[in-house]
Amino acid sequence: MNVLIIEDEVPAAEKLERYLLKYYSTTVIAARLNSVADAVAWLRDHQEQVDLIFMDIQLIDGLSFQIFQQVQVRKPVIFITAFNEFALDAFKVNSIDYLLKPITFTDLSNSLK
């Protein structure tokens, strides 16, 4: 499974990566990005390289929903955020799940199933 992580908090991104590797040891992290601008640029050129996208909502340069306004995201997205007020907005895009921080391994496992 090839995964893109869009998360501006380094500890949260590292924890997610550890959990993904624990769940499926051959997981490949295609990229770890921390901004809307970087995500848009990466997705325009490399989206076909990933099977799944994990995305925080509040990034260093804005809300991740801005990504969807600039590029067509064709891969499933699992949102991971500390804010529950964006859940409805998340399901208007390619979201397949919405996990609240701090995530647990069980949360992630259930989401991936």
Side-chain angles (χ1 to χ4, degrees):
M1 173 173 59
N2 293 336
V3 173
L4 171 62
I5 297 174
I6 304 171
E7 168 65 73
D8 63 340
E9 297 175 29
V10 174
E14 290 172 346
K15 180 181 181 181
L16 176 58
E17 189 170 338
R18 281 193 313 274
Y19 283 173
L20 286 167
L21 290 168
K22 180 178 176 183
Y23 181 81
Y24 189 65
S25 64
T26 59
T27 297
V28 173
I29 307 302
R32 274 184 18 195
L33 309 170
N34 64 3
S35 70
V36 170
D38 288 347
V40 168
W42 194 94
L43 287 165
R44 283 187 176 145
D45 295 332
H46 307 286
Q47 185 169 177
E48 295 310 314
Q49 297 176 10
V50 296
D51 304 304
L52 181 62
I53 301 169
F54 286 89
M55 191 179 294
D56 188 11
I57 290 182
Q58 292 193 329
L59 301 171
I60 60 173
D61 60 348
L63 297 179
S64 60
F65 298 116
Q66 295 169 316
I67 296 167
F68 298 90
Q69 296 168 357
Q70 299 176 55
V71 65
Q72 182 182 4
V73 177
R74 296 178 305 277
K75 300 298 179 167
V77 176
I78 296 176
F79 283 97
I80 298 178
T81 184
F83 304 96
N84 63 5
E85 65 263 23
F86 297 108
L88 290 178
D89 293 324
F91 286 103
K92 293 178 183 176
V93 293
N94 273 18
S95 176
I96 60 171
D97 208 349
Y98 191 92
L99 302 176
L100 289 175
K101 292 179 183 175
I103 65 164
T104 65
F105 181 73
T106 301
D107 292 336
L108 181 67
S109 298
N110 290 336
S111 184
L112 291 171
K113 289 177 186 171

